[in-house]
Amino acid sequence: MPSFTTDNELFTPDDKLELLFNPELIPASVKAELPSDLHIRPLARTDYHRAHIRILSVLTSAPDPGLSGYQSTFDAQRTCANTYYTLVIVNKATDQIVGVGCVFIERKFLRNLGKVGHIEDIAVSKDMQGKKLGLRVIQALTGISESLGCYKTILNCSDDNIPFYKKCGYEKKENEMAKYN
Ligand code: ACO
């Protein structure tokens, strides 16, 4: 088993990247559970070049927005202070993303100006599924949501994914309604 360090030629360490949020928000317990050849960090402005869009296409339609479109959405998210927390798992050997997920924080007027974390857009590349990476993404996002003071963390999913989210500690509650244009 090769051992990977941050000196790996291809791997870009966090301090060389423009990150979406403070990496210290990612729970140390989740980092400790990852295999040494993988790294979990906030989304970076250059992650267009690390297969972010390709990974999302395992979830749903994710057409290529082009670099400038990608970066304008990154900038828009970063401008919304304390709201968007998208993180990625990177394969250190290739510097390519193998898993992604987001929690965005909704500020409410009810529950004493409470906050809710909404988990969105979870995807693990096909060749890396079944290795607990989805679990680590959910644990990290839930930890961020809780550390930011959210009174609950919620998500929508298909029936097929209910067993996965149950393994992550979530339970089925109420129903989803949708109206697409
Ligand atoms: N049915 C039953 N159990 C499952 C399923 C499933 N569909 N998926 C995972 N599990 C179980 C695993 O067996 C494992 O159980 P164990 O602890 O007993 O071994 C546990 O859940 C954790 O599984 P992981 O290995 O962490 O799952 P993985 O890394 O493959 O990620 C994911 C799961 C994210 C659903 C992945 O398969 C994927 O990317 N699928 C396609 C995109 C998708 O559906 N994303 C979720 C959309 S919902 C949303 O975004 C809010």
Side-chain angles (χ1 to χ4, degrees):
M1 184 86 160
S3 91
F4 292 95
T5 69
T6 47
D7 298 331
N8 182 294
E9 260 180 30
L10 281 176
F11 177 66
T12 314
D14 289 3
D15 61 0
K16 299 275 186 275
L17 294 167
E18 277 184 72
L19 299 175
L20 186 58
F21 63 91
N22 181 351
E24 288 175 12
L25 278 172
I26 299 175
S29 55
V30 176
K31 291 180 184 168
E33 291 293 338
L34 272 187
S36 62
D37 57 339
L38 300 176
H39 176 63
I40 187 166
R41 63 160 168 77
L43 187 71
R45 197 165 188 272
T46 46
D47 279 340
Y48 175 82
H49 300 298
R50 298 186 182 86
H52 183 196
I53 301 297
R54 183 163 56 77
I55 301 301
L56 286 172
S57 69
V58 307
L59 169 62
T60 189
S61 165
D64 183 353
L67 178 61
S68 66
Y70 182 89
Q71 293 191 327
S72 72
T73 293
F74 179 93
D75 293 343
Q77 289 198 358
R78 194 168 47 174
T79 303
C80 298
N82 309 319
T83 303
Y84 287 98
Y85 297 86
T86 300
L87 53 76
V88 297
I89 296 178
V90 177
N91 178 335
K92 291 184 190 172
T94 60
D95 206 33
Q96 295 292 295
I97 293 169
V98 294
V100 298
C102 173
V103 62
F104 81 88
I105 310 299
E106 177 198 7
R107 304 181 73 98
K108 288 185 169 290
F109 288 101
L110 47 69
R111 289 193 185 250
N112 291 321
L113 308 179
K115 290 185 277 189
V116 173
H118 297 261
I119 287 185
E120 288 282 341
D121 300 348
I122 307 301
V124 172
S125 71
K126 280 205 162 55
D127 58 326
M128 294 294 279
Q129 289 178 8
K131 298 174 187 283
K132 305 253 191 274
L133 302 190
L135 174 68
R136 301 299 168 225
V137 168
I138 297 300
Q139 288 174 332
L141 296 173
T142 307
I144 291 170
S145 178
E146 290 176 356
S147 71
L148 294 173
C150 293
Y151 69 89
K152 69 177 176 181
T153 308
I154 57 178
L155 59 89
N156 292 327
C157 71
S158 66
D159 287 353
D160 284 352
N161 280 328
I162 288 175
F164 165 68
Y165 287 109
K166 283 191 168 166
K167 290 269 165 91
C168 296
Y170 283 70
E171 59 184 34
K172 185 165 164 27
K173 194 120 194 282
E174 301 174 342
N175 298 300
E176 173 191 336
M177 305 286 283
K179 186 170 185 297
Y180 285 78
N181 280 333

